[in-house]
Amino acid sequence: MTPNAVAFYAVAALIVLAAGAAVGLPSLRSAGYAGGAVVVLLAVLELISGAYELAVVQVVVPGIAAGGVALVLRRDAYRGLISGPILPGRFWIAAPIAIGVGAVTVVTVALVDAGWYPGNTLVNLPALVQPALITVLHYRAPYALAIAVVVVAVTLGAGLVIGRRSGDEQSLDQLLQQRRQREELARRRREDREQGRRRPARDDS
Amino acid sequence: MTIGPGQFAVLSAAVFAVGIYGVLARRHPLGVAMAIGLLFAAPVVALVGFTHAIQVGPASGDALAAFTIVAASCVCSIGFALIVLLWRRTGRADIDALGDLEA
């Protein structure tokens, strides 16, 4: 289904704006919202192009991943990760490279335009080759689905192994926690002693 | 005025360029992970255009695009696990902190 021109250009402009906000906004929280907007706008683009199933995948899969990230970031130990100091960006390096790459790719694909049409290749192939190629294309979807399931399973395992706290780290955290509690207790006792010394001095005066 | 694969390809290139800017400019690892997500989104746009702006054959590009979306989510998830590990080890949220890590 060929998308409506007005809808396509409107969504395309919004995608580029949201993508720019996702990489340009100094606040990570705002950048995260902009990244979410990019995902939703991509799903809208797929909807107006007729890729309905893909639009669902586009929202659901990154949504699950983002939900997992949000759950981890809600924990006290990782709050500083998102609210840390804003670091200055290296835009003087990034901007010329991005503009160069963007200019080359945009000009190239704009010049190719109708040359992307792959049907010519398929149609012009000999009759013997064509059914085989169509069969491969037809069965690509189940293979992609099976590989995607394997990739997700491996990612879950690897993510848990990488992100989990080891026994050493847990015992170190406990020791640090006990040390902080001891220091807090000592500080309170010191303050109490100092207050106790000040009171008789006030009574004498 | 009709929309062809060329328009989708131009949009894909623009998104890719923005993603490259983010990867190079951002110093916070979460920002870099988001920019990498944009790099993965660019081919999805192109695949949708090539598949649906051309009325030929089965929509096999959708399968590839779906796989790309899953792969992007997996890559970003693994990246986030590494970021959490970096945060625990160094207490810093800076790409440059990777250089301070010991084997």
Side-chain angles (χ1 to χ4, degrees):
Chain A
M1 186 172 88
T2 307
N4 178 276
V6 175
F8 173 81
Y9 284 119
V11 173
L14 287 173
I15 286 174
V16 174
L17 280 176
V23 299
L25 284 175
S27 162
L28 264 180
R29 197 176 292 273
S30 308
Y33 291 140
V38 171
V39 170
V40 173
L41 287 166
L42 283 174
V44 172
L45 182 72
E46 287 152 10
L47 277 178
I48 63 171
S49 304
Y52 305 116
E53 298 88 356
L54 193 61
V56 173
V57 173
Q58 179 73 63
V59 172
V60 170
V61 176
I64 292 171
V69 169
L71 277 178
V72 173
L73 288 177
R74 282 168 68 93
R75 295 174 67 176
D76 286 338
Y78 304 121
R79 270 184 208 281
L81 188 56
I82 199 163
S83 58
I86 303 300
L87 304 163
R90 289 172 282 218
F91 62 87
W92 61 91
I93 304 170
I97 294 173
I99 289 170
V101 170
V104 169
T105 46
V106 167
V107 168
T108 306
V109 297
L111 288 176
V112 171
D113 197 22
W116 295 108
Y117 190 71
N120 290 334
T121 316
L122 200 64
V123 171
N124 293 335
L125 283 173
L128 286 174
V129 180
Q130 193 177 343
L133 190 60
I134 288 172
T135 308
V136 170
L137 291 175
H138 180 69
Y139 286 110
R140 191 181 286 168
Y143 281 131
L145 185 64
I147 296 170
V149 169
V150 172
V151 168
V152 168
V154 170
T155 301
L156 278 175
L160 288 174
V161 168
I162 295 170
R164 76 186 165 88
R165 289 195 314 164
S166 65
D168 289 348
E169 283 178 317
Q170 285 181 0
S171 56
L172 182 66
D173 285 348
Q174 280 177 352
L175 286 173
L176 288 173
Q177 178 75 17
Q178 287 169 359
R179 185 177 164 185
R180 275 197 293 271
Q181 285 174 346
R182 280 200 303 273
E183 285 175 353
E184 177 67 19
L185 199 62
R187 188 182 61 78
R188 279 185 196 163
R189 282 180 183 158
R190 202 164 48 243
E191 284 176 0
D192 288 346
R193 277 201 300 272
E194 284 173 6
Q195 280 183 353
R197 277 185 207 138
R198 277 180 207 144
R199 270 191 211 121
R202 278 191 209 127
D203 292 344
D204 291 343
S205 64
Chain B
M1 188 172 161
T2 55
I3 299 297
Q7 279 87 346
F8 278 91
V10 170
L11 175 60
S12 165
V15 172
F16 190 79
V18 173
I20 283 187
Y21 173 81
V23 169
L24 295 174
R26 284 281 194 183
R27 286 182 62 190
H28 199 292
L30 282 176
V32 175
M34 259 191 292
I36 290 172
L38 282 180
L39 290 182
F40 273 96
V44 172
V45 173
L47 283 168
V48 169
F50 295 162
T51 307
H52 289 275
I54 305 165
Q55 304 288 337
V56 172
S60 55
D62 278 2
L64 204 54
F67 182 74
T68 308
I69 292 166
V70 172
S73 299
C74 290
V75 165
C76 289
S77 301
I78 293 287
F80 179 69
L82 288 170
I83 292 164
V84 165
L85 187 65
L86 177 74
W87 172 257
R88 283 210 310 267
R89 292 282 166 89
T90 65
R92 290 166 63 190
D94 186 356
I95 282 289
D96 296 338
L98 285 168
D100 300 338
L101 286 177
E102 293 177 7

